[in-house]
């Protein structure tokens, strides 16, 4: 009798998992309690995969041998609770896909910087001529690529939600950039649970694998012994210190790996700011571990153009710079943005709060921000924290209103920064929709 595999979620990861499961001969059923976008429905129908939308039919789900759950669905969702009660094994699409490939896996996680580091690592591999796929939170579904367009290497951005449902998966190169409080609403408001999820990227690694991490991250420092990494360690830091394998010395980037020593002038890095130095060090180490030639690494670190919605310069209007950092969905991401800008700032923030503590950006906001614009359905928590501290605060219910308010409040030489600290789901489809609306209204000024 065929194994019954049920997939929850009818978008990129879910549909990719369904196609791979069908290819491997399983009895496949996909269920989404929302409407499935037309392009994904077409893919399911092309592969003759049974699916439902707008509901979860329990009798078609709770008879599964295994459930592949899309990362956006929380464990507290009623159908997931019932699956757990029935003791049906739940895995992620990444875990499922990895069963059917022996390709090299370069995996990146962290509270901030993971998209930039993933894209930069992928850029280096592609420019070096390697057969690489981009997967996880960005790119195409890993499962879909394994099923229909396999690659020798995969560069995978992993969220804590994906790592939660991974057990036998192994990263050949694991990168842990940093850990700061994020998504605590999914972790019972327990920071340690979130930390534990991030460290799952080390699962099943051996000494033949590489673990790349920021040496000076206090949370990583405090927890690393508990998780006892078995991989070869490649810590990076801003300056040279004992054991560090990626650092800056005499204005040069130095990387030390089993494949030799790499160096390049720091000023040649295309990405600016301390946070991007760390992203470049991490990606460079991963590339060097993969034995990519030094000149290829140098070229790619010099010509990478960055990531949409992450400190993305939009335009300058009447002497004011407008920067789109819509991907900053947590407080620490906003902190990175604020400390990387050297002009007075009009900051647009707000959205769906995920248990945020705004103390982390308080000093920078008080020192650097000319004005704050709260963009959200419910701005009460932001007002409770910032009222009386920053002299100019306004509310906006649409992106157009927020941009017009910023235009009015900013003066020549300022920067208008969209760095929301929050998820986007109160007013926008996602952070990309939020960022694109920002860019559209800014360009209409």
């Amino acid at each position: 009798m065929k194994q019954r595999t049920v997939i929850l979620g009818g978008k990129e990861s879910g549909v990719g998992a369904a196609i791979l499961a069908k290819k491997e001969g399983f009895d496949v059923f996909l269920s989404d309690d929302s409407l499935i976008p037309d392009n994904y429905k077409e893919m399911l129908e092309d592969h003759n995969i049974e699916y439902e939308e707008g509901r979860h039919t329990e009798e078609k789900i709770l008879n599964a041998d295994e459930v592949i759950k899309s990362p956006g669905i929380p464990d507290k969702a009623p159908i997931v609770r019932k699956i757990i009660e029935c003791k049906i094994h739940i895995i992620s699409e990444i875990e499922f896909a990895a069963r059917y490939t022996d390709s090299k896996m370069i995996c990146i996680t962290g509270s901030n910087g993971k998209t930039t580091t993933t894209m930069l690592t992928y850029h280096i591999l592609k420019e070096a001529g390697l057969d690489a796929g981009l997967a996880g939170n960005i790119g195409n579904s890993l499962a879909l690529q394994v099923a229909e367009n396999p690659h020798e290497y995969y560069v995978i951005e992993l969220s804590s939600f994906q790592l939660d449902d991974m057990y036998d998966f192994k990263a050949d190169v694991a990168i842990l950039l940093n850990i700061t409080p994020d998504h605590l609403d999914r972790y019972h408001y327990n920071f340690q649970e979130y930390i534990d999820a991030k460290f799952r990227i080390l699962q099943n690694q051996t000494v033949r694998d590489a673990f790349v991490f920021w040496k000076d991250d206090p949370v990583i420092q405090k927890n690393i012994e508990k998780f006892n990494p078995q991989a070869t360690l490649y810590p990076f830091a801003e300056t040279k210190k004992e054991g560090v394998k990626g650092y800056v010395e005499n204005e040069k980037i130095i990387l030390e790996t089993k494949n030799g020593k790499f160096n390049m002038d720091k000023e040649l890095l295309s990405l600016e700011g301390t946070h991007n130095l760390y992203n470049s060090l991490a990606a460079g180490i991963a590339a060097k571990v993969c034995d990519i030639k030094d000149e290829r690494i140098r070229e790619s670190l010099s010509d990478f153009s960055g990531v949409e919605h992450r400190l993305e310069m939009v335009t300058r209007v009447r002497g004011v710079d407008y920067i789109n950092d819509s991907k900053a969905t947590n407080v620490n991401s906003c902190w990175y943005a604020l400390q990387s800008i050297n002009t007075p700032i009009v900051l647009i923030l707000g959205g769906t709060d995920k248990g945020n503590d705004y103390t982390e950006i308080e000093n920078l906001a008080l020192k650097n921000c000319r004005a704050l614009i709260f963009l959200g359905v419910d701005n009460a928590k932001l007002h409770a924290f910032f009222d009386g501290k920053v002299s100019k605060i306004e509310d906006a219910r649409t992106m157009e209103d927020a941009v017009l308010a910023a235009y009015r409040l900013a003066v020549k030489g300022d920067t208008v920064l969209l760095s929301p600290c929050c998820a986007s789901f109160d007013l926008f489809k996602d952070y990309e929709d939020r960022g694109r609306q920002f860019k559209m209204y800014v360009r209409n000024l």
Side-chain angles (χ1 to χ4, degrees):
M1 191 165 163
K2 286 184 180 179
Q3 174 176 312
R4 182 161 174 81
T5 299
V6 170
I7 292 99
L8 293 185
K11 292 185 181 170
E12 185 67 27
S13 72
V15 172
I19 289 169
L20 178 59
K22 185 78 172 182
K23 183 188 176 199
E24 295 300 326
F26 298 138
D27 173 19
V28 183
F29 177 67
L30 182 144
S31 176
D32 194 319
D33 68 351
S34 300
L35 295 179
I36 299 173
D38 288 345
N39 59 317
Y40 290 120
K41 279 200 277 204
E42 195 174 307
M43 290 167 71
L44 292 167
E45 287 159 7
D46 285 348
H47 289 83
N48 198 26
I49 293 167
E50 185 186 357
Y51 68 89
E52 66 177 357
E53 59 180 340
R55 64 186 180 278
H56 287 312
T57 305
E58 288 183 17
E59 54 267 30
K60 290 190 169 188
I61 294 171
L62 300 181
N63 62 353
D65 296 299
E66 189 168 61
V67 169
I68 302 167
K69 178 173 76 67
S70 293
I73 303 171
D75 284 350
K76 65 186 179 187
I79 191 64
V80 178
R81 287 213 301 264
K82 287 183 177 170
I83 291 165
I84 292 168
E85 284 166 15
C86 292
K87 295 187 166 49
I88 300 167
H89 190 43
I90 298 174
I91 62 170
S92 74
E93 171 245 342
I94 305 288
E95 172 82 1
F96 180 67
R99 293 174 183 171
Y100 303 100
T101 178
D102 293 320
S103 301
K104 292 278 187 219
M105 302 286 185
I106 302 168
C107 301
I108 297 99
T109 197
S111 302
N112 295 295
K114 57 184 179 291
T115 299
T116 300
T117 305
T118 302
M119 293 296 292
L120 177 54
T121 305
Y122 175 69
H123 174 67
I124 298 171
L125 266 62
K126 290 291 283 182
E127 291 299 303
L130 297 186
D131 174 24
L134 184 66
N137 272 2
I138 50 178
N140 292 324
S141 152
L142 178 64
L144 186 64
Q145 292 180 71
V146 169
E148 300 191 334
N149 184 28
H151 299 283
E152 289 178 38
Y153 291 83
Y154 291 102
V155 184
I156 307 173
E157 178 187 324
L158 290 174
S159 69
S160 57
F161 303 158
Q162 287 160 321
L163 287 161
D164 282 334
D165 295 313
M166 289 164 60
Y167 303 93
D168 298 322
F169 177 94
K170 179 178 78 70
D172 296 280
V173 178
I175 298 175
L176 178 55
L177 294 166
N178 46 61
I179 305 178
T180 57
D182 193 13
H183 302 297
L184 295 189
D185 51 330
R186 283 278 289 263
Y187 292 97
H188 310 100
Y189 296 93
N190 181 334
F191 186 32
Q192 189 61 50
E193 283 188 32
Y194 174 67
I195 294 166
D196 293 350
K198 287 295 188 190
F199 268 98
R200 288 173 74 92
I201 199 167
L202 298 182
Q203 284 181 139
N204 309 308
Q205 282 199 304
T206 71
V207 71
R208 293 187 299 278
D209 305 309
F211 175 39
V212 182
F213 62 97
W214 181 25
K215 171 79 170 171
D216 295 331
D217 184 280
V219 178
I220 296 175
Q221 276 186 334
K222 184 179 172 186
N223 285 271
I224 193 165
E225 281 188 26
K226 168 183 168 184
F227 291 95
N228 189 25
Q230 298 301 300
T232 301
L233 303 183
Y234 290 100
F236 60 87
E238 192 168 359
T239 56
K240 186 176 184 180
K241 55 189 80 172
E242 187 181 351
V244 168
K245 303 297 184 183
Y247 52 89
V248 178
E249 186 176 50
N250 299 324
E251 292 303 303
K252 283 191 176 294
I253 301 288
I254 310 290
L255 308 176
E256 301 172 9
T257 76
K258 59 179 184 177
N259 294 320
K261 197 169 182 176
F262 167 91
N263 70 80
M264 72 178 281
D265 292 339
K266 181 188 170 190
E267 68 177 10
L268 295 178
L269 292 178
S270 64
L271 297 176
E272 297 179 3
T274 305
H275 57 295
N276 276 323
L277 168 65
Y278 297 144
N279 298 338
S280 297
L281 287 169
I285 292 171
K288 189 71 179 161
V289 166
C290 292
D291 208 16
I292 291 172
K293 290 191 169 110
D294 288 0
E295 56 266 32
R296 288 281 174 261
I297 300 174
R298 272 190 212 102
E299 286 169 10
S300 295
L301 290 176
S302 302
D303 66 13
F304 180 65
S305 59
V307 174
E308 190 182 14
H309 310 301
R310 196 75 187 95
L311 288 171
E312 177 192 9
M313 176 66 179
V314 181
T315 191
R316 180 174 288 172
V317 181
R318 294 193 177 180
V320 175
D321 288 342
Y322 288 78
I323 293 178
N324 168 28
D325 195 39
S326 182
K327 202 170 191 305
T329 58
N330 60 51
V331 178
N332 190 247
S333 293
C334 181
W335 179 88
Y336 272 112
L338 289 171
Q339 63 90 38
S340 72
I341 294 169
N342 298 317
T343 70
I345 297 167
V346 175
L347 174 64
I348 302 171
L349 72 165
T352 305
D353 187 284
K354 299 181 289 183
N356 289 347
D357 177 1
Y358 296 103
T359 308
E360 186 177 358
I361 61 168
E362 182 177 8
N363 289 338
L364 281 171
L366 269 56
K367 188 172 86 171
N368 298 347
C369 290
R370 179 183 304 282
L372 302 180
I373 298 167
F374 299 154
L375 173 62
V377 170
D378 180 4
N379 297 325
K381 186 173 175 181
L382 287 163
H383 278 292
F385 188 87
F386 286 107
D387 281 2
K389 296 174 182 175
V390 177
S391 58
K392 292 180 183 172
I393 295 176
E394 294 196 12
D395 289 277
R397 288 289 182 271
T398 68
M399 184 59 78
E400 184 177 22
D401 288 347
V403 169
L404 290 173
Y407 178 73
R408 182 167 34 80
L409 291 164
V411 301
K412 187 175 181 178
D414 285 0
T415 299
V416 172
L417 171 67
L418 170 68
S419 192
C421 294
C422 299
S424 54
F425 305 121
D426 58 339
L427 292 173
F428 307 96
K429 285 188 288 191
D430 49 32
Y431 76 83
E432 293 167 317
D433 176 38
R434 177 169 63 190
R436 285 175 189 142
Q437 284 197 36
F438 175 73
K439 291 193 287 185
M440 178 181 72
Y441 288 118
V442 165
R443 287 169 179 148
N444 287 342
L445 287 173

